[in-house]
Amino acid sequence: MSALPTAADTVILGAGAAGLMCALTAGRRGRRVVLLDHNGKAGAKIMISGGGRCNFTNFNVRSTCFLSANSHFCKSALARYAPHDFIALVERHGIAWHEKTLGQLFCDGSARQIVDMLLAEAAAGGVDLRLGRRITDIGHDGSGFTVVTEGGTFVAPSLVLATGGPSIPKMGATGFAYEVARRFGLDVVEPRPALVPLTLGGDDLAFAAPLSGVSVDAVARFGKTRFREHMLFTHRGLSGPSVLQISSYWRAGEALGFDLLPDLDALAFLKERKQVRPRAEVKTVLAEVLPARLAQALAGEAARPIGETSDKALAAMAERLKNWVVTPAGTEGFAKAEVTAGGIDTAGLSSQTMMAKAVPGLFAVGEAVDVTGWLGGYNFQWAWSSGWAAGQAV
Ligand code: FDA
């Protein structure tokens, strides 16, 4: 005789950032919540986020910091559960935090504090958390949803897809939410790696690889989009915050531009140095404003004094410094992508509740949805805001 299914008001798939927030919100409203995850631990990505300190939100959250086929979709949820709401929760739990840079908020201590806080809130809301459960089937009829796992069956009138995107599969990330969404007739905007290091080939790689480990303050440009943060040369290409940011916008085959001296008029600087330090080598002059290894690479092999360098050659060098153009060979892929861009098409979802317009009772939240934030706490804020919106509605 098989055991009777466990009945709940809602079953949430995925105990990550968005699923935990949705579960604790619904639980606090008195809803009977089952939260399922195939991993043995909840909030695995939170634990390793922000270098172990979790960049849990950002003071500068606004809709323009998110990529989506519908740039307006995220506004409602972000306004209803804003960064200050999450900060208030963090403070209620006595978790000390600080602003690092560019509005990014981190725990003073450890990301574990955020996971413990979410789990404590979920427990207080009576959430039935079941970890290590592989989901084998999902059914739907007039009365609701049936979720079959290797460790039992669950029935509820609502189902929340909170299983994130496929970035970092070795942590248990999957495209499961997309499969389920498609099965229910929802469209999926093609998922692609975002906030991801870029790879180079040919001459670009020959230039970058020997500079592996060198970091420089740079503006990365793609069309009208630009980010000024550090960029890092790697043995395979480019990384660092400005590159990760621009990677979310970059499209295969297109070129990117970099300003390696964002605070300087490079040509005016080089000409002034030619007057003032004519006997100095070009690499020495460049090393006044750039890391020495990069200065050497840009100056080339010839140990030439700047005074003997033609204005034409200086103009070419200035152009390279202000507008270094590279066409990446590709990205490091989902294995190294901090997030997945694309996902469940927002056109099929209510921006108020995250419920599928055509499938009453089916919700999608967090990274599984086609809303992708910049680097800097934006993706967690989207997880909190969208999870909260659905948690109010299930
Ligand atoms: P999330 O991935 O958190 O959770 C999904 C859950 O679903 C997981 O627990 C997973 O096990 C489960 N799951 C998946 N498939 C399943 C299946 N088939 N069956 C059952 N369960 C399944 N963002 C930010 O704002 N600040 C930061 O500091 C960082 N730092 C950071 C570092 C690193 C290394 C990474 C990889 C990512 C970040 N991020 C970040 C991004 C952030 O972690 C991410 O956007 C959120 O965790 C997304 O929350 P979700 O709940 O949507 O997915």
Short mmCIF file of all heavy atoms in Angstrom, two decimals, residues 13-20 36-39 41-46 48-51 53-57 105-106 133-135 162-165 167-168 171-177 195 336-340 365-369 374-383 386, ligand 1:
data_model
loop_
_atom_site.label_atom_id
_atom_site.label_comp_id
_atom_site.label_asym_id
_atom_site.label_seq_id
_atom_site.Cartn_x
_atom_site.Cartn_y
_atom_site.Cartn_z
N LEU A 13 9.40 24.42 -5.42
CA LEU A 13 10.53 23.62 -5.90
C LEU A 13 11.78 24.49 -5.92
O LEU A 13 11.83 25.47 -6.65
CB LEU A 13 10.24 23.07 -7.30
CG LEU A 13 8.91 22.34 -7.50
CD1 LEU A 13 8.80 21.79 -8.92
CD2 LEU A 13 8.74 21.22 -6.47
N GLY A 14 12.78 24.12 -5.11
CA GLY A 14 14.04 24.88 -5.07
C GLY A 14 14.16 25.67 -3.79
O GLY A 14 13.44 26.64 -3.57
N ALA A 15 15.08 25.22 -2.90
CA ALA A 15 15.31 25.93 -1.64
C ALA A 15 16.55 26.81 -1.75
O ALA A 15 17.47 26.73 -0.94
CB ALA A 15 15.44 24.94 -0.49
N GLY A 16 16.56 27.64 -2.80
CA GLY A 16 17.60 28.66 -2.94
C GLY A 16 17.07 29.97 -2.41
O GLY A 16 16.11 30.00 -1.61
N ALA A 17 17.66 31.07 -2.87
CA ALA A 17 17.29 32.39 -2.35
C ALA A 17 15.80 32.68 -2.55
O ALA A 17 15.09 33.06 -1.61
CB ALA A 17 18.16 33.44 -3.04
N ALA A 18 15.33 32.51 -3.79
CA ALA A 18 13.94 32.88 -4.09
C ALA A 18 12.95 31.91 -3.44
O ALA A 18 11.91 32.34 -2.90
CB ALA A 18 13.73 32.91 -5.60
N GLY A 19 13.27 30.61 -3.48
CA GLY A 19 12.36 29.62 -2.89
C GLY A 19 12.24 29.79 -1.39
O GLY A 19 11.15 29.70 -0.82
N LEU A 20 13.37 30.06 -0.72
CA LEU A 20 13.33 30.27 0.74
C LEU A 20 12.51 31.51 1.08
O LEU A 20 11.69 31.49 2.00
CB LEU A 20 14.76 30.40 1.28
CG LEU A 20 15.53 29.09 1.44
CD1 LEU A 20 17.03 29.36 1.60
CD2 LEU A 20 15.01 28.30 2.65
N LEU A 36 10.84 21.88 -1.47
CA LEU A 36 11.61 20.71 -1.89
C LEU A 36 12.88 21.10 -2.62
O LEU A 36 12.88 22.06 -3.40
CB LEU A 36 10.78 19.87 -2.88
CG LEU A 36 9.44 19.31 -2.41
CD1 LEU A 36 8.72 18.67 -3.60
CD2 LEU A 36 9.68 18.27 -1.31
N ASP A 37 13.95 20.37 -2.39
CA ASP A 37 15.19 20.61 -3.15
C ASP A 37 15.91 19.28 -3.33
O ASP A 37 15.88 18.42 -2.44
CB ASP A 37 16.11 21.59 -2.41
CG ASP A 37 17.09 22.28 -3.35
OD1 ASP A 37 17.97 21.59 -3.92
OD2 ASP A 37 16.97 23.51 -3.51
N HIS A 38 16.54 19.13 -4.48
CA HIS A 38 17.29 17.87 -4.68
C HIS A 38 18.66 17.90 -3.99
O HIS A 38 19.26 16.86 -3.77
CB HIS A 38 17.41 17.53 -6.18
CG HIS A 38 18.22 18.48 -7.00
ND1 HIS A 38 18.53 18.23 -8.30
CD2 HIS A 38 18.75 19.69 -6.71
CE1 HIS A 38 19.25 19.24 -8.78
NE2 HIS A 38 19.39 20.14 -7.84
N ASN A 39 19.12 19.09 -3.66
CA ASN A 39 20.39 19.19 -2.93
C ASN A 39 20.18 18.81 -1.46
O ASN A 39 19.09 18.98 -0.92
CB ASN A 39 20.90 20.63 -2.97
CG ASN A 39 22.03 20.80 -3.97
OD1 ASN A 39 22.49 19.84 -4.57
ND2 ASN A 39 22.47 22.03 -4.14
N LYS A 41 21.53 20.46 0.87
CA LYS A 41 21.63 21.70 1.66
C LYS A 41 20.79 22.77 1.00
O LYS A 41 20.75 22.87 -0.23
CB LYS A 41 23.08 22.18 1.70
CG LYS A 41 23.96 21.39 2.61
CD LYS A 41 25.34 22.01 2.65
CE LYS A 41 26.30 21.09 3.40
NZ LYS A 41 27.65 21.14 2.88
N ALA A 42 20.18 23.62 1.83
CA ALA A 42 19.43 24.76 1.29
C ALA A 42 20.40 25.92 1.07
O ALA A 42 21.41 26.05 1.76
CB ALA A 42 18.35 25.18 2.28
N GLY A 43 20.08 26.76 0.07
CA GLY A 43 20.83 28.01 -0.12
C GLY A 43 22.30 27.83 -0.45
O GLY A 43 23.12 28.63 -0.01
N ALA A 44 22.62 26.81 -1.26
CA ALA A 44 24.04 26.53 -1.54
C ALA A 44 24.72 27.73 -2.20
O ALA A 44 25.87 28.05 -1.88
CB ALA A 44 24.15 25.29 -2.42
N LYS A 45 24.04 28.40 -3.13
CA LYS A 45 24.68 29.53 -3.82
C LYS A 45 24.83 30.73 -2.88
O LYS A 45 25.78 31.50 -3.01
CB LYS A 45 23.91 29.93 -5.09
CG LYS A 45 24.23 29.03 -6.26
CD LYS A 45 23.69 29.54 -7.57
CE LYS A 45 24.00 28.54 -8.67
NZ LYS A 45 23.25 28.83 -9.91
N ILE A 46 23.91 30.86 -1.95
CA ILE A 46 24.04 31.97 -0.98
C ILE A 46 25.33 31.77 -0.19
O ILE A 46 26.09 32.71 0.06
CB ILE A 46 22.84 32.04 -0.02
CG1 ILE A 46 21.52 32.17 -0.79
CG2 ILE A 46 23.00 33.20 0.98
CD1 ILE A 46 20.27 32.10 0.08
N ILE A 48 28.16 30.49 -0.93
CA ILE A 48 29.44 30.81 -1.56
C ILE A 48 29.44 32.21 -2.18
O ILE A 48 30.42 32.63 -2.79
CB ILE A 48 29.82 29.79 -2.66
CG1 ILE A 48 28.74 29.75 -3.75
CG2 ILE A 48 30.08 28.43 -2.08
CD1 ILE A 48 29.28 29.28 -5.08
N SER A 49 28.32 32.92 -2.02
CA SER A 49 28.19 34.20 -2.70
C SER A 49 29.06 35.28 -2.07
O SER A 49 29.41 35.20 -0.89
CB SER A 49 26.73 34.65 -2.68
OG SER A 49 26.34 34.94 -1.36
N GLY A 50 29.36 36.28 -2.90
CA GLY A 50 30.10 37.44 -2.41
C GLY A 50 31.38 37.05 -1.69
O GLY A 50 31.69 37.62 -0.64
N GLY A 51 32.08 36.07 -2.24
CA GLY A 51 33.33 35.62 -1.61
C GLY A 51 33.11 35.11 -0.19
O GLY A 51 33.98 35.24 0.67
N ARG A 53 30.76 36.23 1.85
CA ARG A 53 30.14 37.24 2.72
C ARG A 53 28.78 37.67 2.20
O ARG A 53 28.14 38.54 2.77
CB ARG A 53 31.05 38.47 2.84
CG ARG A 53 32.30 38.22 3.65
CD ARG A 53 32.64 39.44 4.50
NE ARG A 53 33.38 39.07 5.69
CZ ARG A 53 34.70 38.95 5.74
NH1 ARG A 53 35.39 39.15 4.66
NH2 ARG A 53 35.30 38.63 6.87
N CYS A 54 28.32 37.11 1.09
CA CYS A 54 27.01 37.36 0.51
C CYS A 54 26.72 38.85 0.28
O CYS A 54 26.40 39.59 1.20
CB CYS A 54 25.89 36.77 1.36
SG CYS A 54 24.27 36.92 0.55
N ASN A 55 26.81 39.24 -0.96
CA ASN A 55 26.42 40.61 -1.35
C ASN A 55 24.90 40.56 -1.53
O ASN A 55 24.39 40.33 -2.60
CB ASN A 55 27.16 40.96 -2.65
CG ASN A 55 26.83 42.31 -3.20
OD1 ASN A 55 27.18 42.60 -4.34
ND2 ASN A 55 26.17 43.15 -2.43
N PHE A 56 24.18 40.78 -0.41
CA PHE A 56 22.75 40.41 -0.37
C PHE A 56 21.80 41.41 -0.99
O PHE A 56 20.67 41.08 -1.30
CB PHE A 56 22.32 40.07 1.06
CG PHE A 56 22.60 41.16 2.08
CD1 PHE A 56 21.76 42.23 2.20
CD2 PHE A 56 23.71 41.06 2.90
CE1 PHE A 56 22.02 43.22 3.14
CE2 PHE A 56 23.98 42.04 3.84
CZ PHE A 56 23.13 43.14 3.96
N THR A 57 22.23 42.66 -1.18
CA THR A 57 21.41 43.60 -1.95
C THR A 57 22.28 44.78 -2.35
O THR A 57 23.50 44.76 -2.16
CB THR A 57 20.16 44.07 -1.18
OG1 THR A 57 19.30 44.80 -2.09
CG2 THR A 57 20.48 44.99 -0.01
N LEU A 105 25.93 45.76 -0.56
CA LEU A 105 25.88 45.44 0.87
C LEU A 105 26.29 43.99 1.13
O LEU A 105 25.79 43.08 0.49
CB LEU A 105 24.48 45.67 1.43
CG LEU A 105 23.86 47.04 1.18
CD1 LEU A 105 22.63 47.24 2.06
CD2 LEU A 105 24.85 48.16 1.42
N PHE A 106 27.21 43.83 2.08
CA PHE A 106 27.75 42.51 2.43
C PHE A 106 27.59 42.28 3.93
O PHE A 106 27.56 43.23 4.71
CB PHE A 106 29.26 42.45 2.15
CG PHE A 106 29.63 42.38 0.70
CD1 PHE A 106 29.56 43.51 -0.10
CD2 PHE A 106 30.07 41.19 0.13
CE1 PHE A 106 29.93 43.45 -1.44
CE2 PHE A 106 30.45 41.12 -1.20
CZ PHE A 106 30.37 42.25 -2.00
N ARG A 133 15.62 15.64 -2.21
CA ARG A 133 14.47 14.98 -2.86
C ARG A 133 14.54 15.16 -4.37
O ARG A 133 14.41 16.29 -4.86
CB ARG A 133 13.13 15.60 -2.39
CG ARG A 133 12.87 15.48 -0.90
CD ARG A 133 12.81 14.02 -0.51
NE ARG A 133 12.84 13.89 0.94
CZ ARG A 133 11.79 13.56 1.67
NH1 ARG A 133 10.63 13.35 1.11
NH2 ARG A 133 11.91 13.44 2.97
N ARG A 134 14.74 14.08 -5.08
CA ARG A 134 14.72 14.16 -6.54
C ARG A 134 13.28 14.15 -7.01
O ARG A 134 12.48 13.31 -6.58
CB ARG A 134 15.49 12.97 -7.15
CG ARG A 134 16.02 13.29 -8.55
CD ARG A 134 16.96 12.18 -9.01
NE ARG A 134 16.22 10.99 -9.40
CZ ARG A 134 15.65 10.82 -10.60
NH1 ARG A 134 15.74 11.76 -11.53
NH2 ARG A 134 14.98 9.71 -10.89
N ILE A 135 12.94 15.10 -7.85
CA ILE A 135 11.56 15.20 -8.33
C ILE A 135 11.44 14.35 -9.59
O ILE A 135 12.19 14.53 -10.55
CB ILE A 135 11.20 16.68 -8.62
CG1 ILE A 135 11.26 17.46 -7.30
CG2 ILE A 135 9.83 16.81 -9.25
CD1 ILE A 135 11.56 18.91 -7.43
N ALA A 162 11.12 27.52 -8.40
CA ALA A 162 12.19 28.37 -7.85
C ALA A 162 13.52 27.63 -7.95
O ALA A 162 14.36 27.72 -7.06
CB ALA A 162 11.87 28.72 -6.40
N THR A 163 13.69 26.88 -9.04
CA THR A 163 14.90 26.06 -9.16
C THR A 163 16.03 26.78 -9.90
O THR A 163 17.02 26.14 -10.29
CB THR A 163 14.60 24.70 -9.84
OG1 THR A 163 13.91 24.94 -11.07
CG2 THR A 163 13.76 23.82 -8.95
N GLY A 164 15.92 28.10 -10.08
CA GLY A 164 17.04 28.87 -10.61
C GLY A 164 17.35 28.55 -12.06
O GLY A 164 16.51 28.02 -12.80
N GLY A 165 18.58 28.87 -12.47
CA GLY A 165 19.03 28.63 -13.84
C GLY A 165 20.18 27.64 -13.83
O GLY A 165 20.62 27.19 -12.77
N SER A 167 23.35 27.90 -14.34
CA SER A 167 24.74 28.29 -14.11
C SER A 167 25.33 27.56 -12.91
O SER A 167 24.68 27.40 -11.88
CB SER A 167 24.85 29.82 -13.92
OG SER A 167 23.87 30.28 -13.06
N ILE A 168 26.56 27.11 -13.08
CA ILE A 168 27.33 26.28 -12.13
C ILE A 168 26.62 24.94 -11.88
O ILE A 168 26.16 24.65 -10.76
CB ILE A 168 27.62 27.01 -10.79
CG1 ILE A 168 27.89 28.50 -11.01
CG2 ILE A 168 28.76 26.30 -10.05
CD1 ILE A 168 29.29 28.94 -11.19
N MET A 171 27.12 22.62 -8.84
CA MET A 171 26.47 22.90 -7.54
C MET A 171 25.02 22.39 -7.53
O MET A 171 24.27 22.71 -6.61
CB MET A 171 26.44 24.40 -7.28
CG MET A 171 27.80 25.00 -7.07
SD MET A 171 27.61 26.69 -6.53
CE MET A 171 26.85 26.43 -4.94
N GLY A 172 24.61 21.68 -8.57
CA GLY A 172 23.24 21.16 -8.60
C GLY A 172 22.30 22.05 -9.37
O GLY A 172 21.09 21.85 -9.34
N ALA A 173 22.85 23.04 -10.10
CA ALA A 173 21.99 23.92 -10.90
C ALA A 173 21.51 23.18 -12.14
O ALA A 173 22.27 22.43 -12.76
CB ALA A 173 22.76 25.18 -11.30
N THR A 174 20.26 23.41 -12.49
CA THR A 174 19.67 22.71 -13.65
C THR A 174 18.74 23.65 -14.41
O THR A 174 18.38 24.72 -13.93
CB THR A 174 18.80 21.51 -13.19
OG1 THR A 174 17.66 22.04 -12.48
CG2 THR A 174 19.55 20.54 -12.31
N GLY A 175 18.33 23.22 -15.58
CA GLY A 175 17.32 23.95 -16.36
C GLY A 175 15.93 23.38 -16.11
O GLY A 175 15.04 23.54 -16.95
N PHE A 176 15.75 22.77 -14.94
CA PHE A 176 14.49 22.09 -14.62
C PHE A 176 13.29 23.02 -14.73
O PHE A 176 12.23 22.64 -15.26
CB PHE A 176 14.61 21.52 -13.20
CG PHE A 176 13.42 20.71 -12.76
CD1 PHE A 176 13.18 19.46 -13.29
CD2 PHE A 176 12.55 21.20 -11.79
CE1 PHE A 176 12.09 18.70 -12.88
CE2 PHE A 176 11.47 20.45 -11.36
CZ PHE A 176 11.23 19.20 -11.91
N ALA A 177 13.41 24.25 -14.24
CA ALA A 177 12.28 25.19 -14.26
C ALA A 177 11.81 25.42 -15.70
O ALA A 177 10.60 25.55 -15.95
CB ALA A 177 12.68 26.52 -13.62
N LEU A 195 27.24 37.33 -16.51
CA LEU A 195 28.25 37.59 -15.47
C LEU A 195 29.31 36.49 -15.55
O LEU A 195 29.55 35.75 -14.59
CB LEU A 195 27.61 37.65 -14.07
CG LEU A 195 26.56 38.75 -13.87
CD1 LEU A 195 26.03 38.73 -12.43
CD2 LEU A 195 27.11 40.13 -14.19
N LYS A 336 31.06 28.51 -15.47
CA LYS A 336 31.70 29.61 -14.73
C LYS A 336 30.79 30.84 -14.62
O LYS A 336 31.20 31.86 -14.08
CB LYS A 336 32.99 30.04 -15.44
CG LYS A 336 34.07 28.99 -15.50
CD LYS A 336 34.98 29.08 -14.27
CE LYS A 336 35.99 27.96 -14.20
NZ LYS A 336 36.97 27.98 -15.25
N ALA A 337 29.58 30.76 -15.16
CA ALA A 337 28.69 31.94 -15.18
C ALA A 337 28.04 32.12 -13.81
O ALA A 337 27.47 31.18 -13.27
CB ALA A 337 27.61 31.76 -16.24
N GLU A 338 28.12 33.35 -13.29
CA GLU A 338 27.52 33.59 -11.98
C GLU A 338 26.00 33.51 -12.06
O GLU A 338 25.34 33.12 -11.09
CB GLU A 338 27.97 34.96 -11.46
CG GLU A 338 27.81 35.10 -9.97
CD GLU A 338 28.67 36.22 -9.39
OE1 GLU A 338 29.90 36.18 -9.56
OE2 GLU A 338 28.09 37.10 -8.76
N VAL A 339 25.43 33.87 -13.18
CA VAL A 339 23.98 33.76 -13.37
C VAL A 339 23.66 33.34 -14.79
O VAL A 339 24.54 33.29 -15.65
CB VAL A 339 23.25 35.11 -13.08
CG1 VAL A 339 23.28 35.47 -11.61
CG2 VAL A 339 23.80 36.23 -13.93
N THR A 340 22.37 33.06 -15.01
CA THR A 340 21.88 32.75 -16.34
C THR A 340 20.96 33.87 -16.78
O THR A 340 20.00 34.20 -16.06
CB THR A 340 21.07 31.43 -16.32
OG1 THR A 340 21.92 30.40 -15.80
CG2 THR A 340 20.58 31.06 -17.70
N VAL A 365 9.70 32.17 -9.90
CA VAL A 365 10.41 33.24 -9.19
C VAL A 365 11.92 33.10 -9.37
O VAL A 365 12.42 32.04 -9.76
CB VAL A 365 10.07 33.24 -7.67
CG1 VAL A 365 8.61 33.54 -7.43
CG2 VAL A 365 10.46 31.91 -7.02
N GLY A 366 12.63 34.17 -9.06
CA GLY A 366 14.09 34.13 -9.01
C GLY A 366 14.74 34.05 -10.38
O GLY A 366 14.21 34.53 -11.39
N GLU A 367 15.89 33.40 -10.40
CA GLU A 367 16.72 33.37 -11.60
C GLU A 367 16.08 32.56 -12.73
O GLU A 367 16.46 32.71 -13.90
CB GLU A 367 18.08 32.78 -11.23
CG GLU A 367 19.18 33.10 -12.21
CD GLU A 367 20.52 32.53 -11.76
OE1 GLU A 367 20.89 32.71 -10.58
OE2 GLU A 367 21.18 31.91 -12.60
N ALA A 368 15.12 31.71 -12.41
CA ALA A 368 14.44 30.93 -13.44
C ALA A 368 13.69 31.83 -14.41
O ALA A 368 13.44 31.46 -15.56
CB ALA A 368 13.46 29.94 -12.79
N VAL A 369 13.35 33.03 -13.95
CA VAL A 369 12.57 33.97 -14.76
C VAL A 369 13.54 34.83 -15.59
O VAL A 369 14.68 35.07 -15.19
CB VAL A 369 11.72 34.87 -13.81
CG1 VAL A 369 10.96 35.93 -14.59
CG2 VAL A 369 10.76 34.00 -13.00
N TRP A 374 22.54 43.06 -12.63
CA TRP A 374 23.96 43.35 -12.69
C TRP A 374 24.67 42.62 -11.54
O TRP A 374 24.03 42.15 -10.59
CB TRP A 374 24.21 44.85 -12.50
CG TRP A 374 23.79 45.71 -13.64
CD1 TRP A 374 23.29 45.33 -14.85
CD2 TRP A 374 23.85 47.15 -13.65
NE1 TRP A 374 23.04 46.44 -15.61
CE2 TRP A 374 23.37 47.57 -14.91
CE3 TRP A 374 24.26 48.12 -12.73
CZ2 TRP A 374 23.29 48.92 -15.27
CZ3 TRP A 374 24.18 49.46 -13.09
CH2 TRP A 374 23.71 49.85 -14.35
N LEU A 375 25.98 42.61 -11.63
CA LEU A 375 26.81 42.16 -10.52
C LEU A 375 26.66 43.17 -9.38
O LEU A 375 26.58 44.37 -9.64
CB LEU A 375 28.26 42.16 -11.00
CG LEU A 375 29.32 41.56 -10.10
CD1 LEU A 375 29.26 40.05 -10.18
CD2 LEU A 375 30.71 42.04 -10.55
N GLY A 376 26.58 42.70 -8.14
CA GLY A 376 26.56 43.67 -7.04
C GLY A 376 25.37 43.56 -6.11
O GLY A 376 24.97 44.56 -5.51
N GLY A 377 24.77 42.38 -6.00
CA GLY A 377 23.65 42.20 -5.07
C GLY A 377 22.29 42.30 -5.73
O GLY A 377 21.26 42.09 -5.09
N TYR A 378 22.28 42.62 -7.02
CA TYR A 378 21.00 42.81 -7.73
C TYR A 378 20.26 41.48 -7.92
O TYR A 378 19.04 41.44 -7.89
CB TYR A 378 21.26 43.46 -9.09
CG TYR A 378 21.85 44.84 -8.98
CD1 TYR A 378 23.23 45.03 -9.01
CD2 TYR A 378 21.03 45.96 -8.84
CE1 TYR A 378 23.78 46.29 -8.90
CE2 TYR A 378 21.58 47.23 -8.73
CZ TYR A 378 22.96 47.39 -8.76
OH TYR A 378 23.51 48.64 -8.63
N ASN A 379 21.02 40.41 -8.14
CA ASN A 379 20.34 39.14 -8.40
C ASN A 379 19.68 38.59 -7.13
O ASN A 379 18.58 38.05 -7.19
CB ASN A 379 21.30 38.14 -9.04
CG ASN A 379 21.54 38.51 -10.48
OD1 ASN A 379 20.62 38.46 -11.30
ND2 ASN A 379 22.75 38.96 -10.79
N PHE A 380 20.35 38.76 -5.98
CA PHE A 380 19.66 38.35 -4.75
C PHE A 380 18.44 39.23 -4.51
O PHE A 380 17.39 38.73 -4.09
CB PHE A 380 20.61 38.40 -3.55
CG PHE A 380 21.47 37.16 -3.44
CD1 PHE A 380 22.81 37.26 -3.08
CD2 PHE A 380 20.95 35.90 -3.70
CE1 PHE A 380 23.61 36.13 -3.00
CE2 PHE A 380 21.74 34.76 -3.63
CZ PHE A 380 23.08 34.88 -3.27
N GLN A 381 18.55 40.53 -4.77
CA GLN A 381 17.37 41.37 -4.53
C GLN A 381 16.20 40.91 -5.40
O GLN A 381 15.06 40.89 -4.94
CB GLN A 381 17.68 42.85 -4.79
CG GLN A 381 16.53 43.78 -4.40
CD GLN A 381 16.12 43.63 -2.93
OE1 GLN A 381 16.96 43.61 -2.03
NE2 GLN A 381 14.80 43.52 -2.68
N TRP A 382 16.50 40.53 -6.64
CA TRP A 382 15.41 40.01 -7.48
C TRP A 382 14.84 38.72 -6.88
O TRP A 382 13.62 38.50 -6.87
CB TRP A 382 15.88 39.77 -8.93
CG TRP A 382 14.86 39.03 -9.74
CD1 TRP A 382 14.97 37.79 -10.27
CD2 TRP A 382 13.54 39.50 -10.06
NE1 TRP A 382 13.80 37.44 -10.90
CE2 TRP A 382 12.90 38.47 -10.78
CE3 TRP A 382 12.82 40.66 -9.79
CZ2 TRP A 382 11.59 38.57 -11.26
CZ3 TRP A 382 11.50 40.77 -10.25
CH2 TRP A 382 10.90 39.74 -10.98
N ALA A 383 15.70 37.86 -6.37
CA ALA A 383 15.23 36.61 -5.73
C ALA A 383 14.34 36.95 -4.53
O ALA A 383 13.25 36.36 -4.38
CB ALA A 383 16.42 35.76 -5.30
N SER A 386 10.95 38.84 -5.95
CA SER A 386 10.02 37.97 -6.68
C SER A 386 9.51 36.86 -5.77
O SER A 386 8.33 36.48 -5.83
CB SER A 386 10.69 37.39 -7.93
OG SER A 386 11.84 36.64 -7.59
P1 FDA B 1 19.24 29.31 -6.66
O1 FDA B 1 20.20 28.79 -7.66
O2 FDA B 1 19.74 30.08 -5.50
O3 FDA B 1 18.36 28.13 -6.07
C1 FDA B 1 17.80 27.14 -6.87
C2 FDA B 1 17.60 25.91 -6.02
O4 FDA B 1 16.90 24.95 -6.80
C3 FDA B 1 18.90 25.27 -5.58
O5 FDA B 1 18.87 25.04 -4.20
C4 FDA B 1 18.97 23.98 -6.39
O6 FDA B 1 19.57 22.92 -5.68
C5 FDA B 1 17.50 23.68 -6.61
N1 FDA B 1 17.25 22.87 -7.82
C6 FDA B 1 17.76 23.05 -9.06
N2 FDA B 1 17.29 22.10 -9.89
C7 FDA B 1 16.47 21.32 -9.14
C8 FDA B 1 15.71 20.15 -9.43
N3 FDA B 1 15.69 19.62 -10.66
N4 FDA B 1 14.97 19.60 -8.44
C9 FDA B 1 14.99 20.14 -7.18
N5 FDA B 1 15.71 21.22 -6.85
C10 FDA B 1 16.43 21.79 -7.83
N6 FDA B 1 24.05 37.28 -6.49
C11 FDA B 1 24.05 38.41 -5.72
O7 FDA B 1 23.09 39.16 -5.75
N7 FDA B 1 25.10 38.67 -4.88
C12 FDA B 1 26.18 37.84 -4.79
O8 FDA B 1 27.10 38.07 -3.97
C13 FDA B 1 26.22 36.70 -5.63
N8 FDA B 1 27.31 35.88 -5.64
C14 FDA B 1 27.29 34.74 -6.41
C15 FDA B 1 28.42 33.90 -6.41
C16 FDA B 1 28.42 32.74 -7.19
C17 FDA B 1 29.66 31.87 -7.20
C18 FDA B 1 27.27 32.41 -7.94
C19 FDA B 1 27.22 31.14 -8.75
C20 FDA B 1 26.17 33.25 -7.97
C21 FDA B 1 26.18 34.43 -7.21
N9 FDA B 1 25.08 35.29 -7.22
C22 FDA B 1 25.11 36.43 -6.45
C23 FDA B 1 23.88 34.98 -7.99
C24 FDA B 1 22.83 34.37 -7.04
O9 FDA B 1 23.43 33.33 -6.32
C25 FDA B 1 21.61 33.84 -7.81
O10 FDA B 1 21.14 34.83 -8.71
C26 FDA B 1 20.51 33.45 -6.84
O11 FDA B 1 20.99 32.42 -6.00
C27 FDA B 1 19.27 32.99 -7.58
O12 FDA B 1 18.35 32.53 -6.62
P2 FDA B 1 17.29 31.39 -7.01
O13 FDA B 1 16.63 31.03 -5.75
O14 FDA B 1 16.49 31.80 -8.17
O15 FDA B 1 18.20 30.18 -7.51
#
